[in-house]
Amino acid sequence: VEWSDNERAIIADVWSKIDVGEIGPQTLARVLIVYPWTRRYFGAFGELSSVAVVLANRKVATHGRVVLNALDVAVRDLDNIKSAYSHLSSLHRYQLHVDPANFRLLADCLTIVIATKFGAAFSSDVQSTWHKFMAVVIAALGSRYF
Ligand code: HEM
């Protein structure tokens, strides 16, 4: 994957404005609410049966932060995302048995949360670069599946 200087600057800028402790919990909660079948992977998180309990679930919030902190690895190493995520990809495949189609769902929820937060600052340039970044992250997380 090739990144232009402008794309690198946009990703760094978006990331610098993201509060992991805010965006992470919102993103994972949104995934679990909008795509209820994803709840099946989080049996260890306790009650997830309604919107209200998903939003109030502390384990969801904590894990949302964990997921977003893992994205920091990709932001800091744009040229090596595939190798940086090789272990995480194996983990999701062989231990967690997560269907890789779910990576896109989470990425889309993250994009929605960020776009809502940024408002007009989520310009078309920012959007297309962010989508490219998400596509590379999704591919890297799926790399051990194929
Ligand atoms: C665990 C990252 C998407 C299900 C994890 C962990 C990380 C992570 C860093 C902790 C790994 C460890 O303990 O060593 C990510 C990233 C994702 C993503 C960066 C996409 C951008 C998903 C999706 C699902 C999922 C879409 C399911 C729908 C899980 C589960 C765990 C986990 C069930 C174990 C949670 C626990 O019991 O603590 N993920 N993940 N992940 N992930 Fe993902």
Side-chain angles (χ1 to χ4, degrees), residues 10-101:
I10 287 173
I11 293 166
D13 186 59
V14 169
W15 194 248
S16 74
K17 292 177 178 139
I18 287 181
D19 176 352
V20 164
E22 177 194 8
I23 304 294
Q26 282 184 21
T27 298
L28 186 57
R30 186 176 284 257
V31 171
L32 293 165
I33 291 164
V34 179
Y35 308 106
W37 59 87
T38 58
R39 293 172 190 171
R40 78 165 62 101
Y41 299 110
F42 297 96
F45 285 17
E47 187 60 46
L48 295 172
S49 59
S50 72
V51 172
V53 296
V54 167
L55 290 172
N57 188 305
R58 298 289 302 269
K59 288 185 175 163
V60 170
T62 302
H63 191 63
R65 272 194 292 275
V66 169
V67 171
L68 269 236
N69 276 325
L71 276 186
D72 186 62
V73 172
V75 172
R76 282 191 283 105
D77 202 3
L78 285 179
D79 298 308
N80 295 300
I81 296 180
K82 189 175 170 188
S83 54
Y85 280 163
S86 144
H87 172 73
L88 214 46
S89 179
S90 292
L91 183 85
H92 282 79
R93 177 176 182 180
Y94 296 109
Q95 256 138 283
L96 301 168
H97 306 293
V98 170
D99 181 332

Side-chain angles (χ1 to χ4, degrees), residues 5 36-37 40 44 49-50 74-75 87 103 114 120 123 125-126 129 134:
D5 288 346
W37 59 87
R40 78 165 62 101
S49 59
S50 72
V75 172
H87 172 73
F103 296 138
I114 292 173
S123 63
D125 259 13
V126 172
T129 300
M134 285 293 102

